Amino acid sequence: MLVLLAALQLQLQVTASRPDSAPTVTLSEALRRATGLDPNYVGAVGQVDNAVWARRSAFAVFILPAITLNTDAARPNPQSINFVTFQPVRTQVTAQLTARYDLFMGGQKFAELSRSAAALDGAHAGELQARFASALLTESDYYAVLADRELTRVARERVRRAQEQLSVARARVSTGAAVQTDSLQLRLELTQARVGLLQRESALRVSRLELGRRVGAAGPVDAAPLDTAPAPELPLSLTDAIAEAGSRGPQYRVARASERAAGAAFRSTLGQYLPHATLTFNALAFDTLFFPTGFKRTTFTLSVSFPLWDNGQREIQLTRARVARDVARATRQDTDRGIQRDVTAAYDGYVTARASAELAAEADRVARENFRVQQSRYAAGATTILDLLVAQTALDDAEAALVQARYATRLALAGLENILGRRLFPERDQQ
C-alpha cells in the first residue's frame, strides 16, 4: 500500500509540474476555424457553387445559343487536291463555327428552370444545415474540455480533502480517540482519489487533443472558460419553435427543395414525348492557311425531331423519375410529421437540462454543508468514519454532477439551435 501511494504521489507531482503550453481558443474562434475544416461543410459550400452555375445555365438557354468553334489542319501524304483551286497542296485547313439554339424542347427548359431553383434553395439550406451540424460537434468538443478541466479540479479537491482527513484520523488514532481502521479507511479513500485524479487528467488530455483536431491544430488546444451564470430561459415558446422550424429549419427546407427538384425532373422527362425544334447556324471555311479564307459556306438549319420509339429508354427514365419524385415526396411528408417531435424533444431537453442544473447546484450546496458538519463532528468524536466518508463521497458526486449538468444544458441549447438553424443567444458565441 505504501509503495502504491508513493507511486501515485510521484505521478501527481510530475503531472502538476508539467508545463501546460497548449494554446487557448475562444468558442467563437473554435466555431469559425472548425467550420472551414469540416469536410461536410466544405462539400455543402461546393454544392451551392454547383447549384448557382446550374441556375445560370437554366437561364442562359433561353437567350443564348450553344456555340462551338473548331479547326483542323491536315498534311496528307501523298498530296491532296484543293477542291477550290484544283491544285495539289501539302496542307489542308478547315475551320467551322456552329451555333445551336433549341426553339422548343417539350417544356424541358422550363422544367430545368424550376429544378435549378429548387436545387439552389436546397443547396443553401444544406449549407446552413452543415454549418450548424459542424457547430454542434465543435461545441460538444469545446464543452468536453471545459467539463474535463473542472472535473479534474473536483478530483484534486477530493485528493486534498482525503489528505486532510487522513492527517486528522492519524492524530486521533495516535491519541486513542479512534481505532486503526479509521486510518486504513482514509488511506483507501486517498488512493481512490488519486486514481480518480489520474483518470480525469487523462480524459482532459484526450479532450484537448480532440478539440485541437477539430480546429485544425497540430496538438492539444485548451478552451477559454465561459461564464457560469445560470442558463437563461428560451426566448420563444414551444409553439413558436415548432412553427419556426417548419418554415426555416434547414433540414426541413432541404426536404421540401428535394421534392420540388424531383417533381421538376419528372416534368422534364415527360418532355421527351413531345417534338423538339432546333435552329442551327453553321459557318465552314477551307484553305491551305491556318486562317482559311479560300472557301466559305454558311447554312441555317431548322430541325424538328419526334422520337416515336427508342426501345423503352424513355419509359425507363420516366419510371425512375417518377420513383425519385415519390420518394422525395414521402421523405418530405415524413420530415413534416417529425417536426413536432424533433423540436419538442430538443426544447424539452433544454428545459429539463436547465432544471437539472439548478437541482445539481442546490444538491452541491447541501452536500457541501453536510460534509462540513460531518467533518466537524468527526473531529470532535461525535460521529464515525463511515458517516464522514459517506458525506465526502456525496460531496464529490454532487460537484461532478453540477459540472456535467451545466455543460449538458449548453449542449442541449446547441441541439435546439441546430434544428432551428439560428442562434437563440448570439452573444453566447462572443464569450
Side-chain angles (χ1 to χ4, degrees):
M1 178 65 73
L2 293 177
V3 175
L4 178 59
L5 284 174
L8 289 175
Q9 183 67 30
L10 178 62
Q11 177 65 31
L12 291 175
Q13 290 176 354
V14 171
T15 302
S17 62
R18 186 181 299 139
D20 188 4
S21 59
T24 301
V25 296
T26 63
L27 179 58
S28 58
E29 182 183 359
L31 291 172
R32 177 182 56 80
R33 292 171 59 177
T35 300
L37 297 172
D38 188 347
N40 293 326
Y41 180 76
V42 174
V45 173
Q47 291 299 322
V48 173
D49 292 340
N50 295 340
V52 168
W53 275 105
R55 183 66 170 164
R56 292 171 182 169
S57 175
F59 274 111
V61 296
F62 282 92
I63 56 177
L64 298 175
I67 301 176
T68 303
L69 178 63
N70 60 69
T71 182
D72 297 323
R75 190 176 182 84
N77 186 18
Q79 296 183 4
S80 181
I81 300 296
N82 187 325
F83 292 100
V84 178
T85 61
F86 295 101
Q87 298 295 324
V89 294
R90 294 184 176 275
T91 304
Q92 295 179 352
V93 179
T94 304
Q96 185 174 11
L97 172 68
T98 303
R100 175 188 175 95
Y101 183 79
D102 295 318
L103 297 175
F104 181 71
M105 297 293 292
Q108 290 182 329
K109 284 186 178 182
F110 293 97
E112 176 59 22
L113 195 64
S114 299
R115 191 209 63 79
S116 63
L120 182 59
D121 185 25
H124 282 300
E127 182 270 337
L128 183 63
Q129 182 180 14
R131 175 154 34 103
F132 272 89
S134 176
L136 181 60
L137 294 174
T138 303
E139 289 189 68
S140 177
D141 293 338
Y142 193 92
Y143 299 150
V145 172
L146 294 177
D148 287 336
R149 190 167 63 200
E150 293 196 34
L151 290 173
T152 301
R153 174 188 56 79
V154 171
R156 288 197 182 98
E157 287 294 317
R158 180 184 178 186
V159 172
R160 180 188 60 80
R161 284 193 293 266
Q163 289 173 336
E164 292 176 353
Q165 297 309 315
L166 180 58
S167 299
V168 173
R170 283 174 174 173
R172 295 192 66 211
V173 170
S174 63
T175 60
V179 296
Q180 184 68 27
T181 55
D182 286 11
S183 178
L184 294 177
Q185 289 280 358
L186 287 170
R187 286 173 61 185
L188 177 61
E189 167 61 19
L190 178 58
T191 303
Q192 292 174 339
R194 286 172 171 169
V195 172
L197 178 56
L198 291 175
Q199 292 173 341
R200 295 315 322 170
E201 289 177 336
S202 175
L204 177 59
R205 287 192 294 271
V206 172
S207 60
R208 283 175 173 171
L209 287 170
E210 182 61 28
L211 179 60
R213 173 190 176 188
R214 182 71 60 184
V215 300
V221 171
D222 203 1
L226 301 173
D227 69 90
T228 57
E233 293 186 3
L234 291 173
L236 74 173
S237 65
L238 176 58
T239 303
D240 294 338
I242 293 174
E244 181 175 334
S247 60
R248 298 175 52 185
Q251 65 185 86
Y252 311 110
R253 286 174 52 195
V254 168
R256 289 194 295 270
S258 297
E259 181 188 15
R260 296 199 307 272
F266 175 74
R267 294 193 300 273
S268 176
T269 306
L270 288 176
Q272 298 181 11
Y273 287 87
L274 298 176
H276 295 177
T278 303
L279 180 64
T280 305
F281 169 77
N282 183 272
L284 177 66
F286 178 81
D287 204 347
T288 59
L289 303 176
F290 187 74
F291 294 98
T293 58
F295 174 76
K296 296 181 179 179
R297 186 182 66 180
T298 60
T299 58
F300 281 94
T301 305
L302 176 62
S303 303
V304 178
S305 63
F306 184 37
L308 296 178
W309 175 247
D310 60 353
N311 294 322
Q313 295 302 311
R314 285 181 304 182
E315 285 68 24
I316 294 175
Q317 295 178 17
L318 184 64
T319 299
R320 291 173 177 171
R322 181 186 295 112
V323 170
R325 181 199 60 182
D326 294 343
V327 170
R329 179 181 300 164
T331 301
R332 191 268 308 164
Q333 292 173 345
D334 180 71
T335 304
D336 288 344
R337 289 192 298 268
I339 291 178
Q340 186 171 358
R341 180 265 175 198
D342 296 341
V343 178
T344 300
Y347 192 99
D348 291 348
Y350 175 78
V351 173
T352 302
R354 181 170 175 266
S356 298
E358 294 176 354
L359 176 62
E362 183 66 23
D364 179 70
R365 289 190 291 269
V366 172
R368 193 173 298 277
E369 178 63 19
N370 184 51
F371 173 74
R372 186 191 65 81
V373 171
Q374 292 295 336
Q375 187 180 30
S376 301
R377 294 185 65 190
Y378 179 75
T383 187
T384 65
I385 187 62
L386 294 179
D387 293 332
L388 177 61
L389 289 176
V390 168
Q392 184 169 325
T393 302
L395 177 57
D396 298 334
D397 294 341
E399 289 180 336
L402 177 59
V403 172
Q404 293 169 345
R406 192 162 62 242
Y407 291 108
T409 304
R410 285 181 171 269
L411 197 57
L413 178 62
L416 179 59
E417 292 173 338
N418 181 44
I419 295 177
L420 297 179
R422 73 177 180 94
R423 290 295 186 188
L424 296 176
F425 303 100
E427 67 280 0
R428 185 167 62 96
D429 293 345
Q430 307 303 322
Q431 297 172 354

